[in-house]
Amino acid sequence: MSISGPVLCVVGARPNFMKMAPILRAMAAHVPPLPVRLVHTGQHYDKGMSERFFEDLHLPRPDINLEVGPGTHAIQTAEIMRNFEPVVDAHKPSCVAVVGDVNSTLACALVAVKKNVPVVHIEAGLRSYDRTMPEEINRILTDQISDRLYITERTAGDNLAREGIPSSRVCFAGNVMIDSVFLGRKNARSAKETLQSNNVNPVVLSHPLGYGVVTLHRPSNVDHPEILRALLRVLGEVATKLPLVLALHPRTRSNIDSFCLSDLVDTARMVLLPPLGYLEMLGLMAGATVVLTDSGGLQEETTALGVPCLTLRENTERPITVEQGTNILVGRDRSVIVGAIQEILAGRGKRGRVPEFWDGHAAERITADLYQWLKQK
């Protein structure tokens, strides 16, 4: 039995690109190939950065771009739904495949399920149990309306079971983000090249302990002046021991200026970089002594790279990175952060191990299962 229509694969924000790229390659390489249409919602509206990510990941140009752009969560979700509905009507897909937990994920899944089109959720079942995070709401609701759910770790299956989702709808396939990491490392730009091209102080390049990488973008960390001020003070203290490279979200950099916190950035020891491409960021992380972040994806990438990671959050939807990987939850506690840095600089940093099925072949397993599942529809 042949597949009735194309798989509509949805991307909207940069983390989606890293997850969808290996899936598209696996679908094209499958025998027979799966028919695919790539839909870019335009949720991430920095066109220059989107272009760089498509090039770095060898993603094909989107077949459809909804060009939604910025907005509040409600406006953005509504606009994606409004623009995506005619795409579903026109292409009559066999299923809609969504990844991760951004607004595009939930919006396109809602359109599909209300039109009786099967929904496939890749990276399902992850939970932080913090409903103040918009991503947590997106994850929970998308999983509830999905027909086929691919999980990155076994505990995600336990989460889904507790929420009443039968195991027959769930497939443990591994982590497609790690597929991109393994492939990208072969072409990653060296940290030295990235830092030199940005005219970074030579002291950072030659420091005997190396350097740390910092990313911050969660609203809970960067949208409140007193919290951002406290974090920058802690980072300044860390920087007296280890130079820090801050690859910050544009909104974070804007908030530093608008909150009048620029004086807390010690430019002799703390380097502010412009937004980086995927291969630049991958090389920078791979060469780092430690990564301090509030990003979910970087928790996974550092575990795959074997680089110690300090997560500046009180919880994580990726507990396997703590249980098996290199990640430590440090919150915003100064003493915990500084203590963890001292341990790392003393050579006692957490190395962990790469979890099950984080082996670079998750997309192949997803594609093989999806093909058989669609044939039976």
Side-chain angles (χ1 to χ4, degrees), residues 236-258:
E237 185 174 350
V238 171
T240 63
K241 303 173 176 62
L242 180 74
L244 295 179
V245 178
L246 284 67
L248 296 183
H249 191 283
R251 189 179 76 254
T252 307
R253 295 194 68 166
S254 175
N255 284 351
I256 289 174
D257 293 333
S258 63

Side-chain angles (χ1 to χ4, degrees), residues 200-201 203-204 239 244 262-272:
V200 169
N201 189 324
V203 172
V204 175
L244 295 179
S262 299
D263 60 323
L264 295 177
V265 179
D266 181 352
T267 54
R269 299 183 180 90
M270 300 167 70
V271 178
L272 286 175

Side-chain angles (χ1 to χ4, degrees), residues 235-309:
L235 293 175
E237 185 174 350
V238 171
T240 63
K241 303 173 176 62
L242 180 74
L244 295 179
V245 178
L246 284 67
L248 296 183
H249 191 283
R251 189 179 76 254
T252 307
R253 295 194 68 166
S254 175
N255 284 351
I256 289 174
D257 293 333
S258 63
F259 298 156
C260 301
L261 301 176
S262 299
D263 60 323
L264 295 177
V265 179
D266 181 352
T267 54
R269 299 183 180 90
M270 300 167 70
V271 178
L272 286 175
L273 291 186
L276 299 176
Y278 177 68
L279 295 179
E280 290 175 310
M281 191 64 190
L282 191 58
L284 199 63
M285 285 193 299
T289 303
V290 61
V291 172
L292 298 97
T293 187
D294 56 11
S295 162
L298 264 65
Q299 295 172 51
E300 296 177 328
E301 290 170 328
T302 49
T303 281
L305 294 168
V307 175
C309 178

Side-chain angles (χ1 to χ4, degrees), residues 95-162:
C95 68
V96 169
V98 295
V99 293
D101 52 22
V102 299
N103 289 339
S104 298
T105 304
L106 176 59
C108 292
L110 281 169
V111 170
V113 73
K114 290 195 174 190
K115 288 186 164 293
N116 296 314
V117 174
V119 176
V120 174
H121 188 200
I122 297 157
E123 197 185 68
L126 298 179
R127 298 289 182 271
S128 67
Y129 294 99
D130 178 1
R131 292 203 178 193
T132 65
M133 295 176 62
E135 296 88 350
E136 182 78 352
I137 305 304
N138 291 344
R139 287 188 284 264
I140 292 169
L141 296 179
T142 302
D143 285 341
Q144 283 296 323
I145 59 177
S146 292
D147 299 274
R148 195 67 176 156
L149 301 95
Y150 293 101
I151 60 175
T152 62
E153 54 185 86
R154 293 190 184 276
T155 55
D158 298 334
N159 295 337
L160 295 173
R162 281 192 293 271

Side-chain angles (χ1 to χ4, degrees), residues 170-231:
V170 179
C171 176
F172 174 38
N175 194 333
V176 290
M177 176 81 86
I178 308 308
D179 292 14
S180 285
V181 170
F182 283 6
L183 183 63
R185 283 205 67 178
K186 301 173 185 176
N187 301 307
R189 192 179 190 190
S190 73
K192 182 177 181 180
E193 185 180 359
T194 296
L195 295 175
Q196 285 180 333
S197 68
N198 283 280
N199 299 314
V200 169
N201 189 324
V203 172
V204 175
L205 294 169
S206 59
H207 196 281
L209 296 176
Y211 62 89
V213 172
V214 179
T215 78
L216 287 172
H217 76 282
R218 297 280 176 192
S220 58
N221 277 338
V222 306
D223 285 357
H224 307 282
E226 65 282 3
I227 293 175
L228 185 55
R229 180 181 294 108
L231 280 172

